[in-house]
Amino acid sequence: MHVENDDVLVAAARRAAEQAYAPYSNFRVGAAILTASGEIVTGCNVENSAYGSSICAEANAITSVIAQGERAMATIAVACIDAESVGGAYPCGNCRQLINEFRIGRIIVTTGVGESRSHSDAELLPYGFTLEP
Ligand code: THU
């Protein structure tokens, strides 16, 4: 699938959130990544009764890109389709580190009121850890 603009990516993230397995938090999150080859790859949060075993939408999407043999990712959009998202679906600290690993340069965060904001990876994780010089 090839993308025209951010709206398409946000719409894909919102659709992915519909697939969320979130019976514990009832907080459904979706993520959509635009890869360097122009494809969209999505993920949703998958919770677990052992809460720490839950997987975030961003982690799900990023690992799916890697699993299908791609490495380069340009943009990730994150959306929550539940009311609590009014403040914005910002990636958690762990997901910011995953975004940092693959140098995803743009993060589009959406709110429950239909607003979307664009951030750079450095904005969300300044001085992020890397083994690269
Ligand atoms: N969650 C995500 O999927 N992405 C984030 O960036 C923040 C939190 C999920 C984890 C859990 O399933 C639910 O949202 C509530 O924390």
Side-chain angles (χ1 to χ4, degrees):
M1 185 176 180
H2 290 267
V3 192
E4 308 294 319
N5 55 40
D6 290 355
D7 291 346
V8 176
L9 206 59
V10 168
R14 293 184 64 81
R15 268 199 309 279
E18 299 281 354
Q19 309 302 329
Y21 174 73
Y24 305 105
S25 71
N26 290 313
F27 192 81
R28 293 170 296 165
V29 186
I33 294 172
L34 173 63
T35 70
S37 66
E39 215 187 325
I40 291 180
V41 179
T42 61
C44 60
N45 55 332
V46 181
E47 296 185 345
N48 194 283
S49 54
Y51 301 153
S53 298
S54 299
I55 299 163
C56 284
E58 300 92 319
N60 191 345
I62 291 168
T63 52
S64 292
V65 170
I66 299 303
Q68 72 174 45
E70 291 210 55
R71 287 284 189 277
M73 306 176 220
T75 305
I76 183 168
V78 188
C80 174
I81 55 174
D82 293 310
E84 297 93 320
S85 71
V86 167
Y90 277 89
C92 74
N94 188 61
C95 287
R96 292 178 194 211
Q97 185 63 31
L98 296 178
I99 289 167
N100 177 71
E101 179 73 17
F102 296 104
R103 303 184 184 288
I104 307 177
R106 271 185 81 224
I107 299 95
I108 301 169
V109 173
T110 62
T111 71
V113 292
E115 183 196 353
S116 62
R117 304 175 201 145
S118 174
H119 294 283
S120 69
D121 51 350
E123 258 183 297
L124 292 193
L125 188 65
Y127 305 104
F129 178 75
T130 174
L131 289 176
E132 306 227 325

